[in-house]
Amino acid sequence: MWKKIFGGGKSTPAPDGDDLLSNLAVDRERMPRHIAIVMDGNGRWAKAQGRSRSAGHEAGARTLKRIVRAASNMGVEVLTVYAFSTENWKRPHREVDFLLNLFDSFLAKEISEIHAQNVRMRFLGRRDRFTDRFLQRMEDTEERTGHNTGMRFNLAANYGSQDEILRAVRSIAQRAAAGEITPEEIDETFFSNALDTAGDPPVDLFIRTSGDLRLSNFLLWQSAYAELYFTETHWPDFTPEELSRAIEDFAGRSRRFGGLDAHVAGKRKSGRRSRALCE
Ligand code: FPP
């Protein structure tokens, strides 16, 4: 069954490509439920334009606003973006301060629209190095949007996947030591629910902008079977149109989760030549 996603048929074309997305034809069953994005390349974008890194991050914030709206309109269930890693504290103080202030003003400015889009927002990562003001902003945002039923939008800030996994392991170990759970109860679902992304489906589509081909400690457990999409586009230039291309690319891929294509499995059953088991 092929049908238009985001097919509300808007009459006036929106400047951010909403009209283009309304024409995107993807089998709804082949839509990624969870999209993760490493928003890389603000600095390179700025350098290429002879502008400051700060200008690059500001442009990145404008892109994020457009992508959140586009993903929500397309019916994406969960969007998770990497805004600041546990390693990003190593950057010069000035840049760290600028980024944290930018996150704060982004939330202050955009929360009403995010809320109006019925988007539920939450934050992934450690909360131990932020200012009280920013912590309060995060809590207010989560509380205000907590009952929304539309797209879930996760912002990873002071986040590292290895750190997240260790925090989960420690809390599970503490519960086991206290006799609250037995080791046998700890299966994939149990462990997933101990992570910051508790309740979210696994990542289906993992996008990284700006050309580097690595995961950078982002959602390692959650992306075990994610399809990867790397693009040379710097984050500030990433558009809803390119998001739609990534989704179409994803929809055309064969996902086997370690098994076989349905048609290959069929051939095996009927005794024909098989392909490798582990792909
Ligand atoms: C990596 O690119 C990007 C970051 C460390 C920051 C991401 C921040 C934004 C996209 C700004 C908007 C976010 C919010 C939440 C408002 P880089 O700056 O390291 O670029 P480079 O690798 O080209 O130097």
Side-chain angles (χ1 to χ4, degrees):
M1 172 202 49
W2 286 78
K3 70 176 179 186
K4 276 184 176 183
I5 55 171
F6 184 3
K10 292 188 179 149
S11 47
T12 14
D16 62 2
D18 284 4
D19 56 317
L20 182 145
L21 288 170
S22 70
N23 292 324
L24 176 69
V26 171
D27 183 344
R28 189 159 282 282
E29 279 137 41
R30 295 189 77 86
M31 272 288 286
R33 292 180 67 196
H34 188 167
I35 299 179
I37 309 183
V38 178
M39 308 182 288
D40 199 12
N42 295 340
R44 276 161 281 178
W45 178 89
K47 192 170 178 196
Q49 306 218 347
R51 299 174 68 186
S52 66
R53 291 182 61 80
S54 305
H57 293 314
E58 280 170 347
R62 290 191 290 274
T63 298
L64 179 59
K65 175 186 157 99
R66 285 194 293 272
I67 294 300
V68 170
R69 183 166 55 196
S72 159
N73 286 341
M74 291 167 74
V76 170
E77 214 174 299
V78 186
L79 174 71
T80 304
V81 301
Y82 208 0
F84 195 86
S85 74
T86 43
E87 288 70 39
N88 285 151
W89 297 103
K90 293 182 212 150
R91 294 187 176 207
H93 275 304
R94 256 178 52 159
E95 181 164 343
V96 170
D97 282 352
F98 183 85
L99 276 170
L100 298 182
N101 283 325
L102 182 65
F103 299 163
D104 191 53
S105 61
F106 175 87
L107 292 174
K109 235 170 68 190
E110 304 304 335
I111 188 59
S112 297
E113 192 181 325
I114 287 173
H115 187 44
Q117 288 162 7
N118 195 25
V119 167
R120 188 171 101 202
M121 195 166 174
R122 77 172 161 182
F123 298 87
L124 315 182
R126 305 180 67 93
R127 300 212 177 179
D128 53 359
R129 283 184 75 170
F130 294 128
T131 59
D132 288 346
R133 179 191 145 117
F134 189 58
L135 282 175
Q136 192 59 53
R137 178 83 69 199
M138 292 160 94
E139 281 167 26
D140 291 348
T141 304
E142 288 180 332
E143 201 180 303
R144 181 154 172 207
T145 64
H147 296 293
N148 289 343
T149 54
M151 185 177 81
R152 273 171 281 164
F153 171 36
N154 297 325
L155 189 87
N158 195 15
Y159 174 88
S161 190
Q162 292 177 337
D163 174 76
E164 177 195 34
I165 289 169
L166 284 176
R167 282 187 283 115
V169 167
R170 272 187 219 114
S171 85
I172 291 172
Q174 275 159 3
R175 290 178 61 193
E180 291 168 25
I181 51 167
T182 61
E184 290 70 33
E185 284 175 69
I186 307 166
D187 59 10
E188 277 101 340
T189 308
F190 187 100
F191 190 74
S192 296
N193 284 326
L195 296 171
D196 296 350
T197 49
D200 290 341
V203 174
D204 293 309
L205 174 59
F206 185 112
I207 298 173
R208 183 180 186 129
T209 59
S210 210
D212 285 332
L213 307 179
R214 54 178 170 263
L215 305 180
S216 294
N217 201 14
F218 190 42
L219 301 175
L220 301 179
W221 169 275
Q222 298 87 338
S223 300
Y225 276 100
E227 295 294 325
L228 308 179
Y229 182 93
F230 296 105
T231 172
E232 293 290 326
T233 307
H234 300 313
W235 175 250
D237 287 334
F238 191 78
T239 56
E241 289 87 338
E242 185 157 8
L243 177 64
S244 72
R245 283 201 295 279
I247 289 173
E248 283 174 344
D249 186 84
F250 169 87
R253 295 194 195 179
S254 157
R255 301 186 82 196
R256 295 183 290 278
F257 299 97
L260 296 176
D261 271 339
H263 76 280
V264 176
K267 281 181 189 169
R268 275 175 65 83
K269 268 195 208 135
S270 65
R272 296 206 197 145
R273 197 164 161 261
S274 70
R275 281 161 58 177
L277 264 170
C278 270
E279 293 181 58

